[in-house]
Amino acid sequence: MLAHYCFSEREVNLIPDVSQMLSWLEANPNVLQGIRRGIERETLRITADGSLAMTEHPKSLGAALTHQWITTDFAEAMLEFITPVNTNIDHLLDFLRDLHHYSARQLGEETFWPLSMPSDLQTQHNIEPAKYGASNLGRFKNVYRAGLKNRYGALMQIISGVHYNFSLPTAFWQHRTDYIDEKNSNAEISAGYFRLIRNYHRFGWLIPYLFGASPAICSSFLNDKKTSLVFERKNGSCYLPYATSLRLSDLGYSNKSQHNLAISFNDLTSYVDSIKRAVCLPSKEFSALGLKKGEDYLQLNTNLLQTENELYAPIRPKRVSKAGEAPSDALLRGGVEYIEVRSLDINPFSPIGIDATQVRFLDLFLIWCALADAPTMNNNQLVYTGKNWQRVILAGRKPGQTLFVGWDSDTKEAPLSEIGKALFNDLRRIASLFDHKQQQEYQQVCDELVSYFDDPKLTFSARVLQEIQQKGMNEFALSLAERHRHTLKNESFRVMSEKQLSDEREASWQRQYELERTDTLSFAQYLSLHGGGR
């Protein structure tokens, strides 16, 4: 059944009509109690002059392979901070801040690069993939990263972002779907999350418009890359005057070879089937690289995707996996448990890369996505959603910018600002359910962010671009990095303690030691069991 839409004076279908679902939510506000959130923040370790740190992951932070909260991502110099799941926003952000505080005190003169896009690097060969020790799991992660470097180059892999994990309470789905038994509940909840995901593909361009913070890149990102984009240059930076998030463009953390995979977001079964096909799809390009050079593995396999995690996507359905279990198999086992939003740039104005305003907006927007009707999408419709994202990513602040609001033969265009304001009318109604009489945090978020549509100069990308045009990317980023470093090093722990983090550091080294001591399989056998040999 197709969605019902509200109309503007121009009789353009702007957004789905969710008035009935909003009335239901207002009659049942308790179903929103217990929203679960988690944050993963990536950042590069840099030296005082802005160069990528050539030091190993500090031993004082623990073992990157087994630490619960402080690890690395692609590169040895790329930190990743991971919070536990939390239902309280202040506690969530305080925990993340404590991880930054502790780490800043362990880094000596090194600090955190505050932007998503790295600064100028003379050569990609200086970027050392992360190291995880001698266990089979550690070697698997090492080879996977070697494969990423050999396939796409290391420069793309050190682009940083924030991932936001979100799940709605069981009570929300119970009332939303009226499911009966546990088997049906898993199916209904998964269907609900896929509805959310489809709406995210349609309207998630809001996130780079509001919070995109990478309107400029260093010239090294254009080396040996063909692009039709016409960049302007100033103070050593290349930029597009109305861009919001070049991190999400084809010059950033994306992969053209995956554009034709036709991943389905219509239901759990078709999604998993399309993912599994992609992982097993042979690639002539990656076969030409070879699997090994002597005794060293160059990649896990020669398929289009080494693992499911190599799929680039702005949002993913997730379930916590068991040991050795592929993400898609975890989904088949228990259904969708939460979603992972992957389109957030680093917030350069926050010492921890994200702030409470962004978290509260994501709450409102993702709830709206779960409420709104979302008809299934064919490949052609996905193309239209992609075009909207590209317009916002490359020129979201362009005066009079329009977006597609229909599909196929009924495709029309409407001003981005009108669509955004229409969405915020709905978000305000959801915000009222969170706010108490004396506290209006969610309404204040709406008041602040809706003004970005009338004045795009307020957006993150506009503020960042102004600074880069005046100072250059390196000077701007270094001034922020030093300010954040000073702030983090000199504040106190908020919810954690020095002892808790020191204990976890020692426990992580013990866990890595036990993994290496108990390995009995050869690495080839391990690869075969865990999908690397297919």
Side-chain angles (χ1 to χ4, degrees):
M1 178 174 155
L2 293 176
H4 298 287
Y5 292 91
C6 62
F7 292 81
S8 72
E9 293 179 357
R10 298 185 179 191
E11 297 186 352
V12 174
N13 303 338
L14 294 182
I15 62 173
D17 179 2
V18 297
S19 55
Q20 185 175 358
M21 289 307 304
L22 287 172
S23 296
W24 165 80
L25 192 62
E26 287 163 344
N28 299 277
N30 291 338
V31 301
L32 295 179
Q33 292 182 3
I35 291 173
R36 292 162 62 84
R37 312 167 183 89
I39 296 172
E40 304 163 31
R41 188 264 167 111
E42 302 161 345
T43 184
L44 296 172
R45 287 187 293 112
I46 58 167
T47 62
D49 66 355
S51 301
L52 191 68
M54 292 292 105
T55 51
E56 292 185 346
H57 181 69
K59 288 183 169 53
S60 58
L61 295 181
L65 178 66
T66 51
H67 199 291
Q68 294 184 79
W69 311 309
I70 303 173
T71 182
T72 53
D73 199 306
F74 169 77
E76 190 71 356
M78 191 175 195
L79 290 169
E80 183 172 16
F81 300 109
I82 304 171
T83 71
V85 175
N86 207 307
T87 59
N88 182 283
I89 291 174
D90 291 336
H91 193 279
L92 173 76
L93 294 174
D94 283 345
F95 192 103
L96 183 62
R97 198 170 184 108
D98 282 350
L99 297 181
H100 282 72
H101 165 62
Y102 177 80
S103 300
R105 293 174 60 186
Q106 305 298 322
L107 292 184
E109 295 304 308
E110 293 178 357
T111 189
F112 311 130
W113 181 253
L115 304 180
S116 280
M117 304 300 283
S119 68
D120 189 29
L121 297 169
Q122 296 302 313
T123 173
Q124 296 193 39
H125 298 297
N126 291 335
I127 303 170
E128 186 71 26
K131 304 169 186 174
Y132 296 101
S135 69
N136 279 325
L137 175 60
R139 289 187 65 192
F140 186 92
K141 293 168 77 74
N142 294 342
V143 174
Y144 174 63
R145 283 154 178 77
L148 294 176
K149 182 174 183 178
N150 292 328
R151 289 171 172 224
Y152 316 115
L155 196 57
M156 189 180 83
Q157 302 302 321
I158 59 168
I159 296 170
S160 302
V162 173
H163 297 169
Y164 184 70
N165 300 315
F166 174 89
S167 65
L168 285 158
T170 302
F172 176 91
W173 299 114
Q174 286 176 327
H175 285 77
R176 176 76 169 82
T177 61
D178 294 325
Y179 66 70
I180 301 172
D181 56 41
E182 184 175 352
K183 183 177 180 181
N184 286 338
S185 76
N186 288 342
E188 293 288 350
I189 290 172
S190 293
Y193 278 120
F194 274 96
R195 179 172 58 249
L196 183 160
I197 288 169
R198 291 194 297 277
N199 277 323
Y200 186 93
H201 277 276
R202 289 187 171 104
F203 298 102
W205 50 261
L206 267 175
I207 293 172
Y209 177 79
L210 297 171
F211 306 128
S214 53
I217 57 176
C218 68
S219 58
S220 58
F221 277 85
L222 298 178
N223 292 344
D224 303 322
K225 286 190 176 183
K226 295 180 180 179
T227 179
S228 59
L229 301 175
V230 181
F231 282 91
E232 298 183 23
R233 297 172 185 262
K234 192 170 184 180
N235 290 329
S237 299
C238 304
Y239 66 92
L240 297 176
Y242 303 113
T244 62
S245 179
L246 294 177
R247 165 181 167 265
L248 298 177
S249 74
D250 285 339
L251 292 172
Y253 201 69
S254 64
N255 188 336
K256 290 182 179 179
S257 66
Q258 298 180 14
H259 286 182
N260 298 319
L261 284 179
I263 302 298
S264 171
F265 302 99
N266 289 333
D267 59 74
L268 177 59
T269 301
S270 60
Y271 173 78
V272 170
D273 287 347
S274 59
I275 290 289
K276 287 186 175 294
R277 282 196 304 270
V279 171
C280 296
L281 191 65
S283 166
K284 291 182 180 180
E285 178 185 359
F286 301 146
S287 293
L289 287 174
L291 185 64
K292 297 175 71 175
K293 185 176 182 180
E295 294 302 312
D296 296 327
Y297 281 87
L298 300 175
Q299 50 190 332
L300 291 174
N301 55 54
T302 59
N303 295 335
L304 186 62
L305 303 178
Q306 296 177 96
T307 73
E308 294 174 14
N309 289 332
E310 196 171 326
L311 178 69
Y312 299 88
I315 187 171
R316 288 177 177 170
K318 300 290 288 285
R319 169 166 287 276
V320 175
S321 300
K322 297 179 180 179
E325 185 179 43
S328 61
D329 291 331
L331 289 173
L332 287 177
R333 169 175 53 82
V336 181
E337 184 179 9
Y338 64 98
I339 55 96
E340 177 188 41
V341 170
R342 299 166 55 83
S343 49
L344 278 168
D345 283 356
I346 299 296
N347 177 350
F349 307 108
S350 166
I352 60 174
I354 189 171
D355 64 23
T357 294
Q358 293 174 282
V359 172
R360 289 193 171 94
F361 166 79
L362 288 168
D363 280 354
L364 298 176
F365 177 60
L366 294 172
I367 290 167
W368 183 90
C369 288
L371 293 174
D373 191 17
T376 57
M377 302 172 72
N378 60 35
N379 289 338
N380 193 44
Q381 291 164 338
L382 278 170
V383 168
Y384 278 116
T385 68
K387 288 180 178 179
N388 278 348
W389 280 75
Q390 287 303 305
R391 286 189 182 186
V392 174
I393 288 164
L394 300 178
R397 290 178 286 106
K398 181 180 177 181
Q401 179 63 277
T402 61
L403 300 177
F404 295 108
V405 292
W407 315 108
D408 299 325
S409 60
D410 191 37
T411 297
K412 300 176 183 177
E413 297 184 37
L416 179 155
S417 60
E418 286 190 17
I419 304 171
K421 289 177 184 178
L423 280 162
F424 267 86
N425 287 337
D426 287 348
L427 299 189
R428 284 188 185 279
R429 289 182 64 179
I430 302 172
S432 67
L433 303 178
F434 285 100
D435 289 333
H436 303 289
K437 291 183 179 180
Q438 303 300 319
Q439 294 179 315
Q440 298 290 313
E441 292 101 334
Y442 281 86
Q443 290 289 354
Q444 289 168 6
V445 165
C446 292
D447 290 341
E448 176 185 345
L449 297 182
V450 77
S451 67
Y452 289 15
F453 296 105
D454 287 327
D455 188 359
K457 291 181 181 178
L458 297 173
T459 61
F460 283 17
S461 57
R463 294 163 59 194
V464 168
L465 184 57
Q466 183 180 30
E467 295 282 354
I468 289 176
Q469 287 174 325
Q470 292 176 354
K471 304 174 183 177
M473 181 182 289
N474 212 52
E475 182 181 337
F476 166 58
L478 282 176
S479 64
L480 278 178
E482 183 54 34
R483 187 192 315 164
H484 294 338
R485 174 175 176 266
H486 182 268
T487 298
L488 291 167
K489 287 188 72 173
N490 290 286
E491 64 186 18
S492 301
F493 285 104
R494 300 189 176 194
V495 295
M496 296 287 283
S497 69
E498 183 90 29
K499 184 178 187 305
Q500 284 175 293
L501 285 158
S502 297
D503 287 348
E504 174 58 22
R505 175 190 65 206
E506 298 307 315
S508 71
W509 285 116
Q510 184 62 34
R511 288 192 288 268
Q512 177 164 322
Y513 168 76
E514 290 297 326
L515 274 176
E516 294 176 352
R517 186 180 66 85
T518 56
D519 264 348
T520 58
L521 298 173
S522 70
F523 187 58
Q525 290 173 316
Y526 185 89
L527 279 184
S528 178
L529 286 173
H530 291 83
R534 293 199 296 267

